[in-house]
Amino acid sequence: MPKRSAVLHRNLRSTPPLAVKGEGVHLIDANGKRYLDASGGAAVSCLGHAHPRVMEWIAAQLGQLEYAHTSFFTNGPSETLAQMLIDRAPPGFGQGRVAFLGSGSEAMEAAMKLARQYFVEIGQPQRSRFISRRMSYHGNTLGALAVGGHPGRRKLYQPILIETSQIAPCHAYRNRRDDETLEAYGLRAADELDAEIRRLGPGTVAAFVAEPIVGATLGTVTAVPGYFARIREICDRHGVLFIADEVMCGMGRAGAFFACEQEAVRPDIITIAKGLGAGYQPIAAMLASERVAKAIEDGSGLLANGHTYMSHAVACAASIAVIETIEQEGLLDNVQRMGALLSCRLHEAFGQHPHVGDIRGRGLFQSIELVADRDSKRPFAAKRNLAARIKQEAQELGLICYPSSGTADGADGDHVLLAPPFIIDAGHVDEIVGKLGRALATTLSTTDPAA
């Protein structure tokens, strides 16, 4: 009988395969089986595995300084990394500041706290409400979960979550009317924010939180043209901060360091993680714009938040190496080229598939949404357990992808998200699409769409 694991795994009734090594785009388990990591875990491993430059930076930093608490010292890697991010950030961040944390959830908590402190510092303490979007995901800690909009992920913890508001996502495949242009739909969707701010009382809202590209919950949904420009107008009209959650879609995943650049929108606070450390170290960051940082600097001068492992020297050193590698190896260009190829191959393979309703994304951040019926867009019922079965079948074939459920309404619906390393080539793209096709065929062959 297999030895019982003492790890509190996600499923207490089974233990996942034991990963023992990573090589480039592959993970290798204890039996020597190789898996093409086509989702980078959860869009994390943007450089693949065992990249020599990153490992050298980590080893060098460990030889100098591993940790010093930020209430006593700063450290060189955190100072360098902060300036690197500010130098690459969108307009409005040139004199901003950066906080380094341990996860995307921590970064979102810090962003919410910073937004609250900002309004206290400028004499508007009545602003404490947060608005986000339905079917969003912003993290798994209580504050981050409270601004998340996925009913299934919130349900267990609902009684202990702070009260927030959600408006509809900008999701043309599901929500645009047949008689609307994309632009008209985008304005209608954005104007829900204006209506919700007015309902709550304009002087009570601190921030609107949104992913520039919705990741895990909806499957790489991009906004239609004009949507985020109208969001910015509405926030400015009511004095509300805009927090851009780029934990999953940022750091080059969509083809630019910051996804909000591609929407030509200026956030007040940005959160990043995942690709920032590329999985080599746990790290996230919160970027405060000039406007927000200056209000606190000119006010109390003190950040009302702290964590033990903020600005961890080794984690920051790893991230410096990640950014340098992306730039020196021209990987943003490769994201754009291979992203276009991946999109093309997905459309060729699944564009007419009877159970693929939509193929969407940007860069190396692509998804297919599965439906029981293409014409009506009716999703598969949750009881079919389709996403989990696709994940298992793909893994048997040596492919790591990121299927998720609840895509249509938080309960029913399924999608498969792909976020492969930035170093992939055309052969890897063909392998991803081929193995995904086989996994879908096997899984759907035992799935009754009418049930």
Side-chain angles (χ1 to χ4, degrees):
M1 185 173 182
K3 181 181 177 183
R4 178 182 179 276
S5 174
V7 175
L8 190 63
H9 289 294
R10 293 173 183 239
N11 185 341
L12 274 66
R13 295 175 179 170
S14 67
T15 299
L18 178 64
V20 297
K21 191 175 182 181
E23 291 180 350
V25 301
H26 292 95
L27 288 166
I28 304 167
D29 70 15
N31 295 318
K33 183 175 180 177
R34 299 174 69 88
Y35 305 82
L36 199 166
D37 189 4
S39 66
V44 173
S45 300
C46 62
L47 297 185
H49 305 278
H51 196 290
R53 178 185 285 114
V54 185
M55 294 192 294
E56 288 169 8
W57 271 78
I58 291 171
Q61 185 58 43
L62 281 169
Q64 297 178 22
L65 172 72
E66 79 295 337
Y67 171 76
H69 196 280
T70 52
S71 67
F72 303 102
F73 297 98
T74 187
N75 63 72
S78 68
E79 296 289 343
T80 298
L81 180 60
Q83 192 59 55
M84 290 175 75
L85 292 173
I86 289 296
D87 289 345
R88 291 158 178 78
F93 285 81
Q95 297 298 316
R97 303 286 187 111
V98 185
F100 296 109
L101 305 113
S103 70
S105 297
E106 284 184 30
M108 182 51 62
E109 296 280 342
M112 294 172 67
K113 288 180 176 179
L114 186 66
R116 168 63 182 163
Q117 183 178 352
Y118 167 80
F119 284 110
V120 171
E121 298 275 8
I122 67 171
Q124 298 182 34
Q126 72 280 7
R127 288 186 181 266
S128 61
R129 301 296 300 266
F130 290 86
I131 302 173
S132 56
R133 301 188 295 183
R134 293 190 291 278
M135 293 304 296
S136 60
Y137 180 70
H138 299 294
N140 233 350
T141 50
L142 291 178
L145 198 59
V147 293
H150 191 287
R153 300 185 187 213
R154 291 167 53 98
K155 184 178 179 181
L156 178 63
Y157 307 103
Q158 189 68 52
I160 57 175
L161 300 181
I162 63 170
E163 184 180 356
T164 62
S165 298
Q166 278 83 41
I167 63 172
C170 186
H171 188 3
Y173 173 69
R174 286 280 171 193
N175 298 333
R176 180 169 69 101
R177 296 194 302 255
D178 291 340
D179 63 347
E180 281 182 310
T181 64
L182 288 174
E183 291 78 6
Y185 163 64
L187 297 181
R188 177 170 66 86
D191 284 345
E192 285 197 26
L193 176 61
D194 183 75
E196 183 62 12
I197 292 173
R198 293 180 186 277
R199 186 187 74 82
L200 295 171
T204 68
V205 178
F208 173 64
V209 184
E211 302 161 273
I213 304 174
V214 184
T217 51
L218 283 182
T220 62
V221 170
T222 58
V224 300
Y227 172 80
F228 275 111
R230 176 63 69 92
I231 289 293
R232 182 73 260 181
E233 291 173 7
I234 293 167
C235 288
D236 290 341
R237 185 186 314 148
H238 295 293
V240 171
L241 297 180
F242 172 36
I243 301 173
D245 178 352
E246 299 207 6
V247 166
M248 200 172 209
C249 64
M251 290 306 300
R253 174 56 58 190
F257 264 113
F258 292 92
C260 57
E261 296 176 53
Q262 297 170 319
E263 303 296 339
V265 65
R266 175 183 51 81
D268 298 292
I269 300 171
I270 304 173
T271 58
I272 55 176
K274 298 190 185 293
L276 176 61
Y280 290 87
Q281 288 284 291
I283 187 170
M286 176 198 65
L287 284 73
S289 65
E290 298 172 5
R291 168 190 176 189
V292 174
K294 189 174 189 304
I296 296 173
E297 185 176 359
D298 292 348
S300 69
L302 300 172
L303 179 65
N305 186 29
H307 292 268
T308 299
Y309 292 111
M310 287 179 74
S311 296
H312 193 278
V314 179
C316 290
S319 295
I320 293 169
V322 169
I323 292 174
E324 288 191 348
T325 300
I326 289 172
E327 293 185 337
Q328 291 177 16
E329 296 186 7
L331 294 182
L332 290 184
D333 288 341
N334 199 55
V335 169
Q336 294 168 13
R337 289 194 304 271
M338 291 299 104
L341 180 62
L342 178 59
S343 177
C344 179
R345 292 288 187 267
L346 289 172
H347 279 86
E348 289 173 353
F350 307 116
Q352 301 303 314
H353 194 290
H355 296 301
V356 174
D358 194 29
I359 302 169
R360 55 184 178 248
R362 185 180 295 156
L364 287 176
F365 202 41
Q366 302 279 338
S367 298
I368 61 173
E369 180 170 344
L370 298 155
V371 292
D373 180 75
R374 276 174 62 106
D375 293 336
S376 67
K377 303 179 185 178
R378 177 172 59 86
F380 285 96
K383 64 182 180 181
R384 299 293 100 194
N385 203 27
L386 186 63
R389 290 163 53 217
I390 291 170
K391 176 183 177 182
Q392 181 62 36
E393 186 61 34
Q395 195 157 341
E396 289 292 328
L397 294 170
L399 179 71
I400 304 298
C401 56
Y402 197 100
S404 189
S405 57
T407 308
D409 56 14
D412 294 335
D414 307 271
H415 69 265
V416 179
L417 186 152
L418 300 169
F422 298 174
I423 60 173
I424 63 167
D425 59 28
H428 296 130
V429 170
D430 289 340
E431 183 179 349
I432 290 167
V433 175
K435 288 184 174 179
L436 179 59
R438 289 163 60 192
L440 289 182
T442 300
T443 307
L444 291 169
S445 70
T446 58
T447 303
D448 182 0

